Amino acid sequence: MRTFVAGQEAHGDIEFAELALGIDVDLFRGPLEFETDAERAAREDAARDILADLRTEAEAGDDIAGWDALYADALTRTVPFLRAVRDRRSGTGEAA
């Protein structure tokens, strides 16, 4: 079965959510693969600008922008499991 949102085919759950909500998960959460400090800074700047725009639209009465802002803000507070495991360094815990 194929799923379409606004005339575009979604290939998986994440892509469906991105198309339906208009939120790029990787932009707010961060990619699963490595990114340089410069790439991370640029991504976070763009995410902050978009989140600010969504909040402004929500304050002007756009309910959908308000829900998108809540979702995007929640994504900024998550760390993909694979990235968290990869970044963990051995011997840096309290027991070390």
Side-chain angles (χ1 to χ4, degrees), residues 21-42:
L21 298 173
I23 299 291
D24 180 357
V25 173
D26 284 346
L27 177 66
F28 292 96
R29 177 200 63 199
L32 295 177
E33 61 274 344
F34 176 78
E35 66 180 344
T36 66
D37 290 339
E39 290 170 333
R40 180 178 297 121

Side-chain angles (χ1 to χ4, degrees), residues 56-80:
T56 300
E57 292 172 18
E59 290 172 2
D62 187 341
D63 290 338
I64 293 174
W67 286 108
D68 285 348
L70 289 172
Y71 179 58
D73 187 50
L75 286 171
T76 64
R77 299 178 194 323
T78 62
V79 177

Side-chain angles (χ1 to χ4, degrees), residues 34-56:
F34 176 78
E35 66 180 344
T36 66
D37 290 339
E39 290 170 333
R40 180 178 297 121
R43 177 183 54 77
E44 289 174 348
D45 275 349
R48 272 192 294 278
D49 289 345
I50 292 169
L51 187 54
D53 289 345
L54 288 171
R55 288 179 175 151
T56 300

